[in-house]
Amino acid sequence: MIMNEKIKASEVQLIGVDGEDLGFVPTVEALALAKKLKVDLVCESLMSSPPPCKLIGAGKAKQEAMQERQQARKREQAPKTKELRLTPHIEDHDLETKRQQAGRILQGGDAVQLVVKISGKEGAQAKALLEDLVKDLSAYGRKQTGIQLSGKQASVQLDPL
């Protein structure tokens, strides 16, 4: 990002503080206007001639650039998978707590792996419990895989919308 005196072009296409087009202006005049309004002159792109420049509030340009970098870094990171463990005989209050926790995780952009530990003939109960949870969390995420019953656990993974 090129700002103020670092802009070497002789003429710039100037965009005002409120987004209005001020036309083609010599760089010296644009800098004088920026100082008069107590704002920064920021060059958006050097690819065109004359380069488009904006009048942006002092310090706001750096803040916007920093936010843009943070967003790009956040998009690069792969979503994490967080695991929530349950039992088929879970109390209603505890189930509600797990449901809220899963909703928060999905809203945060991470995937949730719901795992129900089973023993004996609790497979049907565990599957019904997971189906209810998936239905309740459908506003926040969708199933990546079906409900998988394997040995001592039943699980399903929900990906954020």
Side-chain angles (χ1 to χ4, degrees):
M1 174 171 44
I2 301 170
M3 292 174 57
N4 299 330
E5 284 78 24
K6 292 181 182 174
I7 299 172
K8 299 295 181 194
S10 60
E11 187 178 59
V12 294
Q13 180 182 354
L14 191 59
I15 299 167
V17 179
D18 298 322
E20 70 276 6
D21 187 17
L22 300 176
F24 298 106
V25 178
T27 307
V28 179
E29 283 183 35
L31 285 169
L33 182 62
K35 282 184 181 174
K36 181 180 150 194
L37 296 174
K38 294 186 173 127
V39 294
D40 289 325
L41 180 67
V42 179
C43 184
E44 294 180 331
S45 170
L46 294 173
M47 296 301 157
S48 61
S49 180
C53 293
K54 261 187 176 178
L55 293 173
I56 298 178
K60 194 173 181 182
K62 289 181 182 177
Q63 185 179 356
E64 284 178 5
M66 188 175 71
Q67 283 178 344
E68 208 171 286
R69 281 196 302 269
Q70 285 177 344
Q71 291 294 328
R73 198 175 320 126
K74 193 173 185 180
R75 281 190 297 267
E76 286 176 11
Q77 293 178 349
K80 297 176 185 142
T81 301
K82 307 222 177 167
E83 185 175 296
L84 292 180
R85 295 182 181 190
L86 311 146
T87 61
H89 303 295
I90 190 167
E91 295 285 329
D92 291 337
H93 179 289
D94 295 335
L95 180 62
E96 185 58 35
T97 302
K98 292 289 185 179
R99 186 178 290 124
Q100 289 173 357
Q101 198 174 10
R104 276 195 304 272
I105 292 169
L106 288 168
Q107 285 176 326
D110 292 328
V112 175
Q113 177 87 22
L114 299 168
V115 177
V116 179
K117 299 290 180 188
I118 53 178
S119 60
K121 298 176 181 171
E122 296 174 337
Q125 246 182 327
K127 190 171 181 178
L129 177 67
L130 285 176
E131 286 171 352
D132 287 345
L133 277 171
V134 167
K135 186 177 72 176
D136 292 341
L137 294 170
S138 64
Y140 308 115
R142 62 179 170 275
K143 286 194 290 189
Q144 179 188 24
T145 59
I147 296 174
Q148 300 167 339
L149 286 166
S150 59
K152 297 186 177 198
Q153 71 180 23
S155 66
V156 65
Q157 183 169 339
L158 299 174
D159 288 338
L161 294 175

